[in-house]
């Protein structure tokens, strides 16, 4: 299967992932629960340990749009 997020293989993020796993706390997010909301400044980053993470925005027309995903082993952060 092709890798979806190519940046994860182009940049060595292993130190950030290790830091999150060693110093962070495990959080479980339910479906539709927010990590950060549009218009807020993101304070956290993390690593997806199982499942996936969906990046979603509200467009100028008020509709929800999916703009990205993070899968197991990938970093979640507000870009």
């Amino acid at each position: 299967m092709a890798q979806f997020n190519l940046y994860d293989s182009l940049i060595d993020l292993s130190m950030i992932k290790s830091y999150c796993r060693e110093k962070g706390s495990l959080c479980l997010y339910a479906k539709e629960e927010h990590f950060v909301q549009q218009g807020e400044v993101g304070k956290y980053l993390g690593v997806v340990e199982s499942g996936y993470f969906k990046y979603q925005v509200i467009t100028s027309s008020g509709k929800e749009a999916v703009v990205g995903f993070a899968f197991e082993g990938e970093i979640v952060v507000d870009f």
Side-chain angles (χ1 to χ4, degrees):
M1 180 177 172
Q3 190 170 357
F4 185 76
N5 294 314
L6 294 178
Y7 66 83
D8 203 57
S9 63
L10 300 174
I11 303 169
D12 183 7
L13 300 171
S14 59
M15 288 180 64
I16 295 172
K17 292 176 184 181
S18 293
Y19 184 84
C20 288
R21 289 179 174 125
E22 292 170 16
K23 304 289 184 183
S25 57
L26 184 62
C27 297
L28 177 64
Y29 287 88
K31 187 174 184 175
E32 302 302 323
E33 188 176 359
H34 298 116
F35 181 71
V36 66
Q37 290 191 14
Q38 189 170 331
E40 294 179 358
V41 176
K43 298 179 188 176
Y44 305 104
L45 64 98
V47 178
V48 177
E49 292 295 335
S50 67
Y52 68 93
F53 184 89
K54 177 173 63 172
Y55 290 94
Q56 186 170 301
V57 298
I58 305 297
T59 66
S60 58
S61 62
K63 295 183 179 181
E64 294 179 351
V66 175
V67 294
F69 289 94
F71 299 102
E72 290 182 25
E74 294 182 335
I75 289 182
V76 173
V77 66
D78 178 23
F79 291 103

